[in-house]
Amino acid sequence: MQEREARDQDAAEKWEVQLRKGCLELAILAALWDGRRYGLEILRRLESDSALIVSEGTVYPLLSRLKALGMVRSEWVESEAGHPRKYYALTAAGKRRALEMSAIWTRFSSSMSKLLLPLAKGK
Amino acid sequence: MTITASSQQKIDAYLSTLRRQLRGMNAEEVRDIVEEIRSHILDKAALATEENASGAIDAALATLGSPEELASQYITDNLLARAEASRSPVRILKSLFRWGSLSVAGFFVLLGSLFGYFFGVVFMLVAVAKLFHPHTAGLWALPTDNGDFALSFRLGFGGVPAGGRDLLGWWVVPIGWFGGGVLVMLTTHIAVWFVQQYRKSLLLPRG
C-alpha cells in the first residue's frame, strides 16, 4: 500500500515537472517584459516572483533557443563587476508571443480554477 | 573579490569541457555561450562573502549541472534545427551522428538512416556498375548450400557466379537508379520527420 502511494506521488511530481517545463518559456518572456535583463537576473526574478524553481542549466540553453527563434535579442554590456554580462530583451515578435501566451494562460487557468472549485471545498 | 587559483582552475576546466562539447556549433556561438556561463559563475561568486567565494563557485558549478549535460541541451537543439532545415544527406547524417551519441532515440534514428542510405547507395552503384560490367553486375539470385537462393547485389567484379541467375538484366539500370534515389529521399524524409517529432517534444513548442 505504501509502495502504491509512493508511486502515485512520484507520478504527481513528474506531472509537476512537465507543467513547469511547459510554463518556462512564458515565464522567461514575462520576466523580460519591463526591460532587458541578464541570465542571473532572469533566474532571480523567476525564483522571487513566481517561486518557479528552475534549474540554472536549463535557462541558458532556453534563452539561446528563444534567440534563435527571434523572440529575444542579446547584447554584451560592460558591468561594474569587472566582466561583461549578456543582456536579453524582447523583440517585437517576442512581445507578440508573450501576449498571445499570456491570453491563453489566463483563459486556461480561469476555466481550470472553476473546474477545481469542488475539489478545494471537499478538502 | 578575489578568486583563488584552485577555484579559477575549476572554472577553466568546466568551461574548456563545455567548449569542447559544443563542437559542431559555429565558433562565434560557442564563444558567446562560454562567456555567458563564465559571467554567470563570476556573478554567483561575487554574491558570496570574501572567505566564502570558493564555496560559492563550487555551488554555482554544481547547480549548472555537468558541462556535458549543459552542452547537450544547447547542441541537441542547435544541430537538430539545422538537420530539420536541411535536405542534404551528408548534413543530416552529421547531425544524426552527434544526436546518436547524445540520446537513445537519436541512436535508433541514426541506425535506421544509415541502413536506408546504405541500400539507396548500393542500388545506385549497381545501376552504374551494370554499364561497365554488363554480364556480371546486377541483382543476382545465387544458390545456397541448403538448395535455396539468396539475393545479391553485385557490382560485377570477378567472373559470372556459378549457378547464379541475373534477375533483372538491363532493367537493373533504371530500377536501381530510380529505386536507389527514392530510398535516399525517403530516408531523408523519415529522418527529418523523426527530428521534427523529437524537437516538438523538447522544452518549447516550435516557433
Side-chain angles (χ1 to χ4, degrees):
Chain A
M1 206 51 206
Q2 257 181 346
E3 209 177 289
R4 171 90 190 261
E5 266 171 37
R7 211 168 48 223
D8 287 350
Q9 203 192 339
D10 198 37
E13 273 166 22
K14 273 188 190 148
W15 181 70
E16 196 185 348
V17 169
Q18 289 303 318
L19 209 55
R20 284 179 195 281
K21 266 190 181 182
C23 295
L24 196 51
E25 181 188 354
L26 177 56
I28 287 179
L29 294 177
L32 292 172
W33 187 257
D34 51 7
R36 69 178 193 183
R37 285 197 158 81
Y38 60 94
L40 193 56
E41 276 184 315
I42 296 172
L43 274 160
R44 280 204 217 108
R45 177 89 193 225
L46 295 187
E47 276 158 19
S48 64
D49 292 5
S50 62
L52 270 174
I53 305 153
V54 267
S55 116
E56 307 190 339
T58 307
V59 168
Y60 288 101
L62 188 49
L63 282 165
S64 148
R65 182 156 192 211
L66 286 170
K67 191 182 165 190
L69 290 170
M71 298 295 138
V72 300
R73 61 171 166 267
S74 68
E75 56 182 335
W76 284 98
V77 179
E78 286 298 332
S79 72
E80 73 284 1
H83 57 263
R85 289 175 176 140
K86 193 175 178 186
Y87 277 80
Y88 293 91
L90 290 179
T91 60
K95 281 187 179 152
R96 270 201 308 278
R97 173 105 156 206
L99 287 175
E100 274 167 25
M101 289 179 84
S102 131
I104 292 170
W105 173 263
T106 308
R107 265 204 315 274
F108 178 77
S109 67
S110 78
S111 54
M112 208 59 200
S113 300
K114 256 185 251 163
L115 202 59
L116 294 179
L117 217 50
L119 281 75
K121 279 180 193 157
K123 206 175 178 184
Chain B
M1 193 209 42
T2 46
I3 292 174
T4 62
S6 82
S7 288
Q8 188 61 52
Q9 242 167 30
K10 279 184 203 164
I11 297 175
D12 290 344
Y14 187 96
L15 294 178
S16 74
T17 309
L18 179 65
R19 190 179 298 116
R20 204 166 49 243
Q21 292 288 325
L22 289 172
R23 69 182 188 272
M25 292 175 68
N26 84 47
E28 198 180 323
E29 275 175 289
V30 173
R31 197 165 345 114
D32 225 40
I33 291 169
V34 171
E35 285 317 306
E36 180 174 34
I37 299 299
R38 186 197 306 277
S39 125
H40 169 89
I41 298 166
L42 294 178
D43 273 331
K44 279 276 185 127
L47 291 173
T49 53
E50 187 77 37
E51 59 271 28
N52 215 348
S54 50
I57 287 169
D58 288 349
L61 294 178
T63 52
L64 279 172
S66 75
E68 289 84 2
E69 274 165 11
L70 184 59
S72 85
Q73 292 196 60
Y74 279 107
I75 208 153
T76 309
D77 193 64
N78 186 282
L79 282 175
L80 294 181
R82 270 195 256 163
E84 196 179 316
S86 163
R87 284 291 176 273
S88 144
V90 177
R91 210 339 94 93
I92 288 171
L93 275 179
K94 244 169 99 178
S95 299
L96 289 183
F97 266 110
R98 209 58 226 287
W99 189 25
S101 72
L102 294 168
S103 92
V104 180
F107 179 75
F108 282 105
V109 175
L110 170 66
L111 224 59
S113 307
L114 281 175
F115 190 80
Y117 283 135
F118 177 76
F119 278 98
V121 169
V122 165
F123 270 45
M124 290 165 100
L125 278 179
V126 170
V128 174
K130 185 76 179 170
L131 302 174
F132 298 99
H133 305 130
H135 303 297
T136 49
L139 179 63
W140 285 67
L142 303 178
T144 58
D145 293 339
N146 53 18
D148 237 347
F149 281 93
L151 291 180
S152 169
F153 286 104
R154 306 190 69 82
L155 295 178
F157 296 100
V160 177
R165 208 150 45 87
D166 184 357
L167 293 179
L168 293 172
W170 281 105
W171 281 107
V172 82
V173 176
I175 291 174
W177 198 246
F178 182 76
V182 167
L183 202 53
V184 167
M185 263 160 38
L186 211 63
T187 304
T188 301
H189 275 279
I190 293 172
V192 168
W193 185 83
F194 272 112
V195 166
Q196 281 169 347
Q197 295 309 307
Y198 184 78
R199 288 192 74 213
K200 273 184 203 165
S201 76
L202 285 176
L203 222 45
L204 281 176
R206 294 195 308 135

